[in-house]
Amino acid sequence: MVLAFAWPLDLLAATPVATTASGAFGAASNDTAQALRVVLGLSVLAVLPALLVCVTSFLRIIIVLSMLRQAIGMPETPPNPVLIGLALFFTLFTMSPVLQSLNDQAFQPFMNGALGMEAAYSKGSAPLREFMVRQTREQDLALMIELSKAKMPQGIEDVGNVQLIPAFMLSELRAAFQIGFLVFLPFLLIDLVVSSVLMALGMMMMPPTTIALPLKVLMFVLVDGWSLVLKALVGSFH
């Protein structure tokens, strides 16, 4: 009889302890999830410069701006921080639809706990992959698949990021050099005209750059060159 009454009392006494343990476990789980989110955020910040160069329009923009500076004949003007800042803002303009989709579909649901890490990565990489596929030539993609000795994919969804990202970068380099070549042509024409005029006048000892540089700067300002180049750059992304 004593044992019959003692067992329910022991069960009641043990119940708060179990509840407390369950609550502590839940709190520890939440703390762990929050810590994982912090670690993931710090990791993303650490690799952000590499991601900026590899999977966005930054590469094409900064190369064209650097070639423009060389074409004018002023290798240090505008300085590097100015070109990088300009390239960052125009990268933001061109990538804004992709970033908005990434934020709505992956980042915000992950931060709210509605998506796990793998699901957030899958949903977040989809807009970036779509952007890179639109800018990547089939020849460059085929080259990277051949070099990596990967199995020939049946569709674009079968192409891994290991092949897609370098193919995208190679296509961006090609597009940047094509635009840079067109940027160089008018400045090269000014150099040729100035050199011909100086030789005709017998002023062979005067460096052509002395006269050509102010003329190139004047022409670039008169035609509103920065607006033309940047508008063409943004329009080159499809």
Side-chain angles (χ1 to χ4, degrees):
M1 183 67 70
V2 175
L3 291 175
F5 283 100
W7 181 77
L9 293 175
D10 292 341
L11 183 61
L12 290 173
T15 300
V17 176
T19 304
T20 304
S22 176
F25 179 77
S29 178
N30 291 334
D31 292 342
T32 302
Q34 187 65 28
L36 286 175
R37 291 191 182 95
V38 172
V39 171
L40 180 62
L42 293 176
S43 301
V44 170
L45 289 177
V47 300
L48 189 59
L51 291 175
L52 182 68
V53 173
C54 294
V55 300
T56 69
S57 57
F58 179 83
L59 180 62
R60 184 189 304 187
I61 295 173
I62 193 63
I63 288 178
V64 171
L65 292 180
S66 298
M67 294 182 72
L68 172 62
R69 185 172 63 178
Q70 293 290 333
I72 294 175
M74 297 184 294
E76 301 297 330
T77 305
N80 288 331
V82 174
L83 290 187
I84 293 174
L86 196 60
L88 284 174
F89 276 104
F90 277 86
T91 301
L92 181 62
F93 296 158
T94 56
M95 297 292 295
S96 57
V98 177
L99 296 176
Q100 186 64 41
S101 299
L102 191 150
N103 181 66
D104 295 340
Q105 298 177 15
F107 183 72
Q108 291 299 332
F110 174 74
M111 295 303 294
N112 296 331
L115 283 180
M117 188 176 297
E118 293 184 2
Y121 172 78
S122 177
K123 287 185 175 293
S125 61
L128 279 175
R129 283 178 57 89
E130 182 181 354
F131 171 79
M132 288 189 289
V133 167
R134 289 201 307 268
Q135 313 302 325
T136 304
R137 299 192 311 155
E138 293 184 3
Q139 300 92 319
D140 297 330
L141 191 57
L143 174 63
M144 291 305 160
I145 293 174
E146 179 184 355
L147 292 178
S148 64
K149 296 181 173 57
K151 183 180 178 181
M152 188 59 63
Q154 299 299 320
I156 195 63
E157 63 276 358
D158 298 328
V159 178
N161 292 333
V162 176
Q163 292 85 32
L164 179 58
I165 292 176
F168 166 74
M169 295 179 67
L170 190 60
S171 297
E172 288 294 284
L173 287 172
R174 183 176 184 273
F177 275 73
Q178 286 177 335
I179 299 173
F181 172 75
L182 297 177
V183 168
F184 261 96
L185 285 179
F187 298 106
L188 178 61
L189 180 61
I190 292 177
D191 286 333
L192 290 175
V193 170
V194 170
S195 298
S196 300
V197 170
L198 289 178
M199 289 192 65
L201 294 175
M203 303 173 65
M204 290 177 290
M205 298 301 294
M206 176 176 286
T209 308
T210 306
I211 298 177
L213 180 58
L215 292 178
K216 288 189 285 186
V217 173
L218 178 62
M219 182 205 71
F220 192 68
V221 172
L222 290 177
V223 301
D224 198 8
W226 287 110
S227 297
L228 292 175
V229 172
L230 293 173
K231 188 183 297 184
L233 264 176
V234 174
S236 67
F237 293 97
H238 51 275

